[in-house]
Short mmCIF file of all heavy atoms in Angstrom, two decimals:
data_model
loop_
_atom_site.label_atom_id
_atom_site.label_comp_id
_atom_site.label_asym_id
_atom_site.label_seq_id
_atom_site.Cartn_x
_atom_site.Cartn_y
_atom_site.Cartn_z
N GLN A 152 -0.97 -3.78 -28.65
CA GLN A 152 -1.94 -4.85 -28.91
C GLN A 152 -2.79 -4.52 -30.14
O GLN A 152 -3.10 -5.42 -30.93
CB GLN A 152 -2.87 -5.04 -27.69
CG GLN A 152 -2.19 -5.60 -26.45
CD GLN A 152 -1.62 -7.01 -26.64
OE1 GLN A 152 -1.92 -7.68 -27.65
NE2 GLN A 152 -0.80 -7.47 -25.69
N LEU A 153 -3.12 -3.25 -30.30
CA LEU A 153 -3.90 -2.85 -31.47
C LEU A 153 -3.09 -3.07 -32.74
O LEU A 153 -3.62 -3.61 -33.74
CB LEU A 153 -4.20 -1.36 -31.39
CG LEU A 153 -5.59 -0.93 -30.97
CD1 LEU A 153 -5.64 0.59 -30.86
CD2 LEU A 153 -6.64 -1.44 -31.94
N VAL A 154 -1.82 -2.66 -32.72
CA VAL A 154 -0.99 -2.80 -33.91
C VAL A 154 -0.81 -4.27 -34.25
O VAL A 154 -0.95 -4.68 -35.41
CB VAL A 154 0.38 -2.09 -33.68
CG1 VAL A 154 1.38 -2.45 -34.74
CG2 VAL A 154 0.19 -0.59 -33.59
N ARG A 155 -0.53 -5.07 -33.22
CA ARG A 155 -0.37 -6.51 -33.47
C ARG A 155 -1.62 -7.12 -34.07
O ARG A 155 -1.58 -7.89 -35.02
CB ARG A 155 -0.12 -7.22 -32.14
CG ARG A 155 1.34 -7.48 -31.88
CD ARG A 155 1.51 -8.35 -30.68
NE ARG A 155 0.90 -9.67 -30.92
CZ ARG A 155 1.29 -10.76 -30.31
NH1 ARG A 155 2.25 -10.73 -29.41
NH2 ARG A 155 0.70 -11.91 -30.55
N ALA A 156 -2.76 -6.76 -33.48
CA ALA A 156 -4.02 -7.38 -33.92
C ALA A 156 -4.39 -6.91 -35.34
O ALA A 156 -4.85 -7.72 -36.16
CB ALA A 156 -5.14 -7.05 -32.95
N LEU A 157 -4.20 -5.63 -35.63
CA LEU A 157 -4.72 -5.11 -36.89
C LEU A 157 -3.72 -5.19 -38.04
O LEU A 157 -4.08 -5.39 -39.19
CB LEU A 157 -5.20 -3.66 -36.71
CG LEU A 157 -6.32 -3.48 -35.68
CD1 LEU A 157 -6.65 -1.99 -35.49
CD2 LEU A 157 -7.59 -4.23 -36.07
N ALA A 158 -2.42 -5.04 -37.69
CA ALA A 158 -1.41 -5.12 -38.76
C ALA A 158 -0.88 -6.53 -38.88
O ALA A 158 -0.24 -6.88 -39.88
CB ALA A 158 -0.25 -4.16 -38.48
N GLY A 159 -1.16 -7.38 -37.91
CA GLY A 159 -0.66 -8.76 -37.90
C GLY A 159 -0.94 -9.52 -39.18
O GLY A 159 -0.04 -10.17 -39.73
N PRO A 160 -2.17 -9.45 -39.71
CA PRO A 160 -2.47 -10.23 -40.92
C PRO A 160 -1.60 -9.87 -42.10
O PRO A 160 -1.45 -10.68 -43.03
CB PRO A 160 -3.94 -9.86 -41.20
CG PRO A 160 -4.51 -9.45 -39.88
CD PRO A 160 -3.37 -8.82 -39.13
N ALA A 161 -0.99 -8.67 -42.11
CA ALA A 161 -0.18 -8.27 -43.26
C ALA A 161 1.30 -8.64 -43.08
O ALA A 161 2.10 -8.37 -43.96
CB ALA A 161 -0.29 -6.76 -43.47
N VAL A 162 1.65 -9.27 -41.97
CA VAL A 162 3.06 -9.57 -41.70
C VAL A 162 3.53 -10.63 -42.70
O VAL A 162 2.88 -11.68 -42.85
CB VAL A 162 3.27 -10.06 -40.26
CG1 VAL A 162 4.71 -10.55 -40.05
CG2 VAL A 162 2.93 -8.96 -39.27
N PRO A 163 4.64 -10.37 -43.41
CA PRO A 163 5.15 -11.38 -44.35
C PRO A 163 5.73 -12.56 -43.60
O PRO A 163 6.08 -12.43 -42.42
CB PRO A 163 6.23 -10.62 -45.13
CG PRO A 163 6.69 -9.54 -44.20
CD PRO A 163 5.49 -9.18 -43.36
N PRO A 164 5.86 -13.70 -44.24
CA PRO A 164 6.46 -14.87 -43.59
C PRO A 164 7.83 -14.51 -43.05
O PRO A 164 8.54 -13.71 -43.67
CB PRO A 164 6.57 -15.90 -44.71
CG PRO A 164 5.76 -15.39 -45.83
CD PRO A 164 5.50 -13.94 -45.64
N SER A 165 8.21 -15.09 -41.92
CA SER A 165 9.48 -14.68 -41.33
C SER A 165 10.62 -15.08 -42.27
O SER A 165 10.53 -16.06 -43.01
CB SER A 165 9.68 -15.35 -39.95
OG SER A 165 9.90 -16.70 -40.14
N GLY A 166 11.63 -14.23 -42.28
CA GLY A 166 12.76 -14.45 -43.18
C GLY A 166 12.61 -13.72 -44.49
O GLY A 166 13.56 -13.60 -45.25
N THR A 167 11.39 -13.17 -44.75
CA THR A 167 11.21 -12.41 -45.98
C THR A 167 12.04 -11.14 -45.91
O THR A 167 12.02 -10.44 -44.91
CB THR A 167 9.74 -11.99 -46.15
OG1 THR A 167 8.92 -13.11 -45.85
CG2 THR A 167 9.45 -11.47 -47.55
N GLN A 168 12.80 -10.88 -46.95
CA GLN A 168 13.58 -9.63 -47.00
C GLN A 168 12.68 -8.47 -47.37
O GLN A 168 11.81 -8.63 -48.23
CB GLN A 168 14.71 -9.75 -48.04
CG GLN A 168 16.00 -10.37 -47.50
CD GLN A 168 16.62 -9.52 -46.39
OE1 GLN A 168 16.67 -8.32 -46.47
NE2 GLN A 168 17.08 -10.19 -45.30
N ARG A 169 12.88 -7.36 -46.70
CA ARG A 169 12.12 -6.18 -47.08
C ARG A 169 12.60 -5.71 -48.46
O ARG A 169 13.79 -5.44 -48.63
CB ARG A 169 12.36 -5.09 -46.04
CG ARG A 169 11.28 -4.07 -46.03
CD ARG A 169 11.47 -2.97 -45.03
NE ARG A 169 10.54 -1.94 -45.43
CZ ARG A 169 9.23 -2.01 -45.19
NH1 ARG A 169 8.74 -3.03 -44.52
NH2 ARG A 169 8.42 -1.07 -45.62
#
Side-chain angles (χ1 to χ4, degrees):
Chain A
Q152 292 296 349
L153 257 177
V154 168
R155 262 188 64 154
L157 300 175
V162 173
S165 71
T167 315
Q168 272 298 318
R169 201 180 165 76

